[in-house]
Amino acid sequence: MIGIIDVSRNITGVYGAGVLDYAADRHISFDYAIGSSAGAANLTAFLAGKAAMSYLFYYDYASRRDYMNLGNLMQDASLIDVDLLYEEAFNVFPDNPFDLDSAHDAIRGFYILAAHAETGRAHYFDIAGGHPVLPALKASRNIPIVNEPYIVDGIPFYDGYISDPLPYEKAFADGCDKVILILARPVSYRRDKNRDRILSQLMKKRFPLAASRLSSLSVLYNRQVEDALQLQKNGKLLILAPDSFSPVQVLLKDRHRITDLYHRGYQDAAKIEEFLKD
């Protein structure tokens, strides 16, 4: 069973969009998928047969002021308006409509990862099993500190990154033989433990268990990267990651960088075919 994981975040997810666009153009299919944050949206579009829509979104819609601004933060304590982001974003191109929930039947296993705000634990919305896509996408995109948790079935959720940043262990546990892992940052990137501890203090009073997970996120992420590199050496996993990182605020102001990051993802995706041959 071949799995793909996309943990792209924010507008840097255009790299993952390039990877999946290449897969669509070459008719490369997967048996299993996990997505979180922007990566979940990328996979939803891919599985619905509309992979090219992701690039259009990042290039056009993600560059709009109403996508991310301080006005949102002042009004409702959320920097990113996830309702606006998803409910309107998927309809801004009327010539290219598609059914989000068509991804239900496209693959054997498709999960969108979020973090339970009250426990800090990973929660995998079972999309192939019939869970609606939109609520899961919104829950998975909600960044701690700058966003309020998103409520699904009475449960508050944050971005799944804080609970399981690179969820390849679940993919292998569920039966995958090989996994393609799309990262948000260069493979050389390691998280700063001091930064995570400072951020965790900001949410400790309201969500102490989630704050505890955030405080130790650097340890988990850095360990997972090292493990992923070993799995890659063993031929079990292929890591696809941008070779440099541009801050979100830079990308929002420079569409040329967005396009360049997309093309880098598209070019890097050529490695998938060789990986799947072995």
PDB file of all heavy atoms in Angstrom, residues 215-233:
ATOM      1  N   SER A 215       4.869  22.630  24.261  1.00  0.00           N
ATOM      2  CA  SER A 215       6.163  22.921  24.893  1.00  0.00           C
ATOM      3  C   SER A 215       7.226  21.888  24.527  1.00  0.00           C
ATOM      4  O   SER A 215       8.423  22.182  24.522  1.00  0.00           O
ATOM      5  CB  SER A 215       6.013  22.998  26.413  1.00  0.00           C
ATOM      6  OG  SER A 215       5.730  21.725  26.956  1.00  0.00           O
ATOM      7  N   SER A 216       6.778  20.668  24.229  1.00  0.00           N
ATOM      8  CA  SER A 216       7.731  19.605  23.870  1.00  0.00           C
ATOM      9  C   SER A 216       7.696  19.277  22.379  1.00  0.00           C
ATOM     10  O   SER A 216       8.255  18.261  21.953  1.00  0.00           O
ATOM     11  CB  SER A 216       7.424  18.334  24.682  1.00  0.00           C
ATOM     12  OG  SER A 216       6.110  17.870  24.427  1.00  0.00           O
ATOM     13  N   LEU A 217       7.065  20.151  21.590  1.00  0.00           N
ATOM     14  CA  LEU A 217       6.932  19.886  20.161  1.00  0.00           C
ATOM     15  C   LEU A 217       8.281  19.782  19.464  1.00  0.00           C
ATOM     16  O   LEU A 217       8.472  18.962  18.570  1.00  0.00           O
ATOM     17  CB  LEU A 217       6.090  20.984  19.501  1.00  0.00           C
ATOM     18  CG  LEU A 217       5.882  20.881  17.989  1.00  0.00           C
ATOM     19  CD1 LEU A 217       5.235  19.549  17.613  1.00  0.00           C
ATOM     20  CD2 LEU A 217       5.025  22.045  17.482  1.00  0.00           C
ATOM     21  N   SER A 218       9.231  20.612  19.873  1.00  0.00           N
ATOM     22  CA  SER A 218      10.545  20.587  19.225  1.00  0.00           C
ATOM     23  C   SER A 218      11.208  19.218  19.366  1.00  0.00           C
ATOM     24  O   SER A 218      11.827  18.708  18.422  1.00  0.00           O
ATOM     25  CB  SER A 218      11.454  21.675  19.812  1.00  0.00           C
ATOM     26  OG  SER A 218      11.662  21.462  21.193  1.00  0.00           O
ATOM     27  N   VAL A 219      11.064  18.601  20.533  1.00  0.00           N
ATOM     28  CA  VAL A 219      11.660  17.279  20.766  1.00  0.00           C
ATOM     29  C   VAL A 219      11.025  16.253  19.829  1.00  0.00           C
ATOM     30  O   VAL A 219      11.719  15.452  19.193  1.00  0.00           O
ATOM     31  CB  VAL A 219      11.477  16.849  22.232  1.00  0.00           C
ATOM     32  CG1 VAL A 219      11.995  15.419  22.433  1.00  0.00           C
ATOM     33  CG2 VAL A 219      12.186  17.821  23.163  1.00  0.00           C
ATOM     34  N   LEU A 220       9.685  16.289  19.728  1.00  0.00           N
ATOM     35  CA  LEU A 220       8.969  15.336  18.880  1.00  0.00           C
ATOM     36  C   LEU A 220       9.287  15.561  17.408  1.00  0.00           C
ATOM     37  O   LEU A 220       9.630  14.613  16.682  1.00  0.00           O
ATOM     38  CB  LEU A 220       7.465  15.467  19.122  1.00  0.00           C
ATOM     39  CG  LEU A 220       6.564  14.604  18.227  1.00  0.00           C
ATOM     40  CD1 LEU A 220       6.885  13.121  18.398  1.00  0.00           C
ATOM     41  CD2 LEU A 220       5.085  14.873  18.547  1.00  0.00           C
ATOM     42  N   TYR A 221       9.212  16.807  16.959  1.00  0.00           N
ATOM     43  CA  TYR A 221       9.457  17.104  15.548  1.00  0.00           C
ATOM     44  C   TYR A 221      10.886  16.729  15.144  1.00  0.00           C
ATOM     45  O   TYR A 221      11.103  16.061  14.125  1.00  0.00           O
ATOM     46  CB  TYR A 221       9.219  18.581  15.264  1.00  0.00           C
ATOM     47  CG  TYR A 221       9.500  18.969  13.824  1.00  0.00           C
ATOM     48  CD1 TYR A 221       8.524  18.838  12.843  1.00  0.00           C
ATOM     49  CD2 TYR A 221      10.757  19.433  13.435  1.00  0.00           C
ATOM     50  CE1 TYR A 221       8.782  19.165  11.520  1.00  0.00           C
ATOM     51  CE2 TYR A 221      11.038  19.762  12.124  1.00  0.00           C
ATOM     52  CZ  TYR A 221      10.041  19.633  11.165  1.00  0.00           C
ATOM     53  OH  TYR A 221      10.316  19.948   9.857  1.00  0.00           O
ATOM     54  N   ASN A 222      11.836  17.147  15.937  1.00  0.00           N
ATOM     55  CA  ASN A 222      13.237  16.889  15.594  1.00  0.00           C
ATOM     56  C   ASN A 222      13.551  15.390  15.576  1.00  0.00           C
ATOM     57  O   ASN A 222      14.310  14.915  14.728  1.00  0.00           O
ATOM     58  CB  ASN A 222      14.160  17.628  16.560  1.00  0.00           C
ATOM     59  CG  ASN A 222      14.009  19.139  16.457  1.00  0.00           C
ATOM     60  OD1 ASN A 222      13.462  19.657  15.484  1.00  0.00           O
ATOM     61  ND2 ASN A 222      14.477  19.851  17.475  1.00  0.00           N
ATOM     62  N   ARG A 223      12.940  14.651  16.497  1.00  0.00           N
ATOM     63  CA  ARG A 223      13.124  13.200  16.502  1.00  0.00           C
ATOM     64  C   ARG A 223      12.474  12.572  15.273  1.00  0.00           C
ATOM     65  O   ARG A 223      13.044  11.677  14.632  1.00  0.00           O
ATOM     66  CB  ARG A 223      12.524  12.616  17.785  1.00  0.00           C
ATOM     67  CG  ARG A 223      12.831  11.123  18.011  1.00  0.00           C
ATOM     68  CD  ARG A 223      11.772  10.191  17.464  1.00  0.00           C
ATOM     69  NE  ARG A 223      10.485  10.380  18.109  1.00  0.00           N
ATOM     70  CZ  ARG A 223       9.367   9.807  17.684  1.00  0.00           C
ATOM     71  NH1 ARG A 223       9.365   9.060  16.582  1.00  0.00           N
ATOM     72  NH2 ARG A 223       8.220  10.028  18.307  1.00  0.00           N
ATOM     73  N   GLN A 224      11.283  13.053  14.917  1.00  0.00           N
ATOM     74  CA  GLN A 224      10.597  12.489  13.757  1.00  0.00           C
ATOM     75  C   GLN A 224      11.354  12.744  12.461  1.00  0.00           C
ATOM     76  O   GLN A 224      11.397  11.888  11.574  1.00  0.00           O
ATOM     77  CB  GLN A 224       9.175  13.047  13.659  1.00  0.00           C
ATOM     78  CG  GLN A 224       8.221  12.482  14.694  1.00  0.00           C
ATOM     79  CD  GLN A 224       6.793  12.961  14.494  1.00  0.00           C
ATOM     80  OE1 GLN A 224       6.538  14.033  13.948  1.00  0.00           O
ATOM     81  NE2 GLN A 224       5.839  12.154  14.929  1.00  0.00           N
ATOM     82  N   VAL A 225      11.970  13.923  12.330  1.00  0.00           N
ATOM     83  CA  VAL A 225      12.764  14.201  11.136  1.00  0.00           C
ATOM     84  C   VAL A 225      13.927  13.217  11.027  1.00  0.00           C
ATOM     85  O   VAL A 225      14.204  12.662   9.949  1.00  0.00           O
ATOM     86  CB  VAL A 225      13.289  15.652  11.130  1.00  0.00           C
ATOM     87  CG1 VAL A 225      14.285  15.849  10.000  1.00  0.00           C
ATOM     88  CG2 VAL A 225      12.137  16.639  10.974  1.00  0.00           C
ATOM     89  N   GLU A 226      14.619  12.978  12.139  1.00  0.00           N
ATOM     90  CA  GLU A 226      15.750  12.049  12.118  1.00  0.00           C
ATOM     91  C   GLU A 226      15.286  10.633  11.780  1.00  0.00           C
ATOM     92  O   GLU A 226      15.937   9.918  10.997  1.00  0.00           O
ATOM     93  CB  GLU A 226      16.467  12.060  13.473  1.00  0.00           C
ATOM     94  CG  GLU A 226      17.145  13.375  13.813  1.00  0.00           C
ATOM     95  CD  GLU A 226      18.218  13.767  12.809  1.00  0.00           C
ATOM     96  OE1 GLU A 226      18.842  12.852  12.212  1.00  0.00           O
ATOM     97  OE2 GLU A 226      18.438  14.983  12.625  1.00  0.00           O
ATOM     98  N   ASP A 227      14.158  10.228  12.345  1.00  0.00           N
ATOM     99  CA  ASP A 227      13.617   8.902  12.040  1.00  0.00           C
ATOM    100  C   ASP A 227      13.208   8.807  10.575  1.00  0.00           C
ATOM    101  O   ASP A 227      13.407   7.778   9.920  1.00  0.00           O
ATOM    102  CB  ASP A 227      12.412   8.604  12.935  1.00  0.00           C
ATOM    103  CG  ASP A 227      12.805   8.340  14.383  1.00  0.00           C
ATOM    104  OD1 ASP A 227      14.017   8.191  14.652  1.00  0.00           O
ATOM    105  OD2 ASP A 227      11.905   8.288  15.241  1.00  0.00           O
ATOM    106  N   ALA A 228      12.610   9.887  10.058  1.00  0.00           N
ATOM    107  CA  ALA A 228      12.186   9.904   8.659  1.00  0.00           C
ATOM    108  C   ALA A 228      13.380   9.788   7.722  1.00  0.00           C
ATOM    109  O   ALA A 228      13.324   9.092   6.696  1.00  0.00           O
ATOM    110  CB  ALA A 228      11.405  11.180   8.357  1.00  0.00           C
ATOM    111  N   LEU A 229      14.478  10.431   8.070  1.00  0.00           N
ATOM    112  CA  LEU A 229      15.689  10.338   7.263  1.00  0.00           C
ATOM    113  C   LEU A 229      16.228   8.909   7.246  1.00  0.00           C
ATOM    114  O   LEU A 229      16.704   8.426   6.212  1.00  0.00           O
ATOM    115  CB  LEU A 229      16.751  11.298   7.800  1.00  0.00           C
ATOM    116  CG  LEU A 229      16.501  12.781   7.518  1.00  0.00           C
ATOM    117  CD1 LEU A 229      17.457  13.649   8.342  1.00  0.00           C
ATOM    118  CD2 LEU A 229      16.672  13.079   6.030  1.00  0.00           C
ATOM    119  N   GLN A 230      16.123   8.215   8.370  1.00  0.00           N
ATOM    120  CA  GLN A 230      16.569   6.823   8.416  1.00  0.00           C
ATOM    121  C   GLN A 230      15.650   5.942   7.578  1.00  0.00           C
ATOM    122  O   GLN A 230      16.125   5.048   6.852  1.00  0.00           O
ATOM    123  CB  GLN A 230      16.602   6.330   9.863  1.00  0.00           C
ATOM    124  CG  GLN A 230      17.178   4.934  10.025  1.00  0.00           C
ATOM    125  CD  GLN A 230      18.608   4.823   9.515  1.00  0.00           C
ATOM    126  OE1 GLN A 230      19.470   5.616   9.879  1.00  0.00           O
ATOM    127  NE2 GLN A 230      18.858   3.834   8.651  1.00  0.00           N
ATOM    128  N   LEU A 231      14.357   6.175   7.666  1.00  0.00           N
ATOM    129  CA  LEU A 231      13.408   5.418   6.855  1.00  0.00           C
ATOM    130  C   LEU A 231      13.649   5.655   5.367  1.00  0.00           C
ATOM    131  O   LEU A 231      13.477   4.752   4.544  1.00  0.00           O
ATOM    132  CB  LEU A 231      11.974   5.804   7.226  1.00  0.00           C
ATOM    133  CG  LEU A 231      11.464   5.276   8.566  1.00  0.00           C
ATOM    134  CD1 LEU A 231      10.184   6.005   8.970  1.00  0.00           C
ATOM    135  CD2 LEU A 231      11.211   3.771   8.478  1.00  0.00           C
ATOM    136  N   GLN A 232      14.060   6.873   5.032  1.00  0.00           N
ATOM    137  CA  GLN A 232      14.363   7.175   3.637  1.00  0.00           C
ATOM    138  C   GLN A 232      15.597   6.377   3.177  1.00  0.00           C
ATOM    139  O   GLN A 232      15.622   5.849   2.054  1.00  0.00           O
ATOM    140  CB  GLN A 232      14.604   8.676   3.465  1.00  0.00           C
ATOM    141  CG  GLN A 232      14.886   9.078   2.024  1.00  0.00           C
ATOM    142  CD  GLN A 232      14.797  10.575   1.808  1.00  0.00           C
ATOM    143  OE1 GLN A 232      13.893  11.067   1.171  1.00  0.00           O
ATOM    144  NE2 GLN A 232      15.750  11.315   2.355  1.00  0.00           N
ATOM    145  N   LYS A 233      16.605   6.290   4.034  1.00  0.00           N
ATOM    146  CA  LYS A 233      17.792   5.496   3.706  1.00  0.00           C
ATOM    147  C   LYS A 233      17.435   4.028   3.482  1.00  0.00           C
ATOM    148  O   LYS A 233      18.048   3.337   2.660  1.00  0.00           O
ATOM    149  CB  LYS A 233      18.825   5.604   4.828  1.00  0.00           C
ATOM    150  CG  LYS A 233      19.530   6.943   4.914  1.00  0.00           C
ATOM    151  CD  LYS A 233      20.560   6.941   6.032  1.00  0.00           C
ATOM    152  CE  LYS A 233      21.266   8.276   6.126  1.00  0.00           C
ATOM    153  NZ  LYS A 233      22.265   8.296   7.233  1.00  0.00           N
TER     154      LYS A 233
END
